[in-house]
Amino acid sequence: MTGADTAGVKAWRNGVVTAYAGSGLVFSTWVSRIPAIRDGLGLTPATVGLILLCMSLGSFVSVAASGLVVLRLGSRLTTRVCTTIQAVGLVLMGVGASVFINPLVVGAGLVIVGLGTASFNTASNIEGAAVERALGRHIMPRLHGSFSVGTVVGAGLGALAAMVHLPVAIHVGVMAAIVWTAIWFATRHYQADRRSAEAGRGQGAVQLGELDSVPGTGPIPIVRPGTTARAPANRAASPAGPAGDPAADAAAALAAEGRRMAQAKLDGRAKIAAAWRDPRTLLIGVLVLGLALAEGAAGDWVALALADGYGSSNAVGALGYGIFVSAMTVGRFAGTMVLDRYGRVAALRVSAALAVAGLAVFVFAPSQEIALAALVFWGLGSALGFPVGMSAASDDPDHAAARVSVVSTIGYGAFLGGPPVLGLLAEHVGVLHSLLAVLVMLVVAFVLTPVVRKTAAAGARQGTTVEA
């Protein structure tokens, strides 16, 4: 690449990093205030689970449609629309928690946050996979590490806000405005839609609707200054005018592009349907489901598990969550080197084993201090599941958007089913021991790690070797 190309890719990468970090800030901003929301609304563990389910329901609806949304809008516009939706939801949630003191308003706000979050994440993963291909090396773990950095910062700011008794509405409102502004400017550097257009350009049109590597918005006729759109040379004269009539040629070209756009939409739906029938994609989704459940359960329940299971204070609970996300951040930034050296399968196998060990020790630890130490292993083990799963789903650029949306949909099942199931279990066995249910899916994830191995076709196309 030329110097200008290199600078453009770096700006693109930094823009995607900002989006991931902003997503982490959004998540940890409200998660860090769960104890305050619970106390303010007088919620039981089961009702906390139902409140958390509200966001999961919004996310599940969003992620189920995310493939078509990104295929239609493109990853840049999807990101901007979704960050706006997230900001509105955060503000509504905060108002419900500290102004109306109404769990229904809080739940409605979290539904809206979820609606924005899932499609936002799908667009970010597609954009991140495109950056990864442009750079020719593993960066997805570091991108997800940026999400973790955002969660660490958000958790710290949330703890500070709780210490000074800052109302939830003010806290989340300020954070929503900051994140929205940062991401809106960061997406100016996104290139996946444009690169897809350039790769598919033909017959005087940008072939964004062909859905070949990264989704776009549909065909856009190119009309350069001083020129007119031309029909193909072998086309018969238009009935609207004589052959060579610029107006008739332009109208015919636009009509042809309209027909191609309609076909592209059908092709997009067909690719998504095919992805749901692809065994490898489904197994990657189940693997991501297990590791996402481990990550999501930590975010939702670690603070409460420490408080209820070990008699810890709310401050120690916040510290425990901070330890978890800090360890996960380290794991994601170190993950690039580990993946480059050992490959996906070995790295993910060790990660899943660490998550199993860390969670088991956390639940059965004889003391609060050992439980806090176990969070380091739990966090390290949860670090690579989602990023490696997204990279594996994106191995074939022709089907990346469809397969990422399918894997994301299955993975988000953890966030849909996890909160109510763990909440109901907590009513009977306590928050701490309810986390044992997560171990089952972690073991399944460990068994499924070979499915992330890069296929021979993908390795040949990208000029890389295939793992043994």
Side-chain angles (χ1 to χ4, degrees), residues 314-468:
N314 285 342
V316 172
L319 173 64
Y321 175 65
I323 290 173
F324 175 86
V325 293
S326 296
M328 192 165 61
T329 301
V330 171
R332 283 180 169 168
F333 278 102
T336 295
M337 295 181 291
V338 173
L339 287 166
D340 287 339
R341 183 167 183 175
Y342 299 106
R344 291 176 183 169
V345 176
L348 205 55
R349 185 174 288 143
V350 172
S351 293
L354 283 174
V356 168
L359 178 53
V361 173
F362 177 80
V363 173
F364 295 112
S367 67
Q368 170 185 283
E369 291 73 19
I370 295 177
L372 290 173
L375 288 171
V376 174
F377 298 97
W378 184 0
L380 288 172
S382 303
L384 297 181
F386 229 100
V388 172
M390 293 303 107
S391 291
S394 302
D395 277 343
D396 183 355
D398 291 343
H399 301 277
R403 290 177 179 171
V404 166
S405 70
V406 169
V407 171
S408 297
T409 300
I410 298 173
Y412 267 92
F415 305 108
L416 179 67
V421 169
L422 293 178
L424 291 173
L425 285 174
E427 288 285 327
H428 299 285
V429 300
V431 174
L432 183 63
H433 289 94
S434 70
L435 296 174
L436 289 173
V438 180
L439 278 175
V440 176
M441 290 306 301
L442 280 176
V443 172
V444 172
F446 176 84
V447 173
L448 290 177
T449 50
V451 301
V452 300
R453 182 178 289 114
K454 187 173 294 186
T455 62
R461 179 169 47 251
Q462 298 174 19
T464 59
T465 58
V466 180
E467 298 174 46

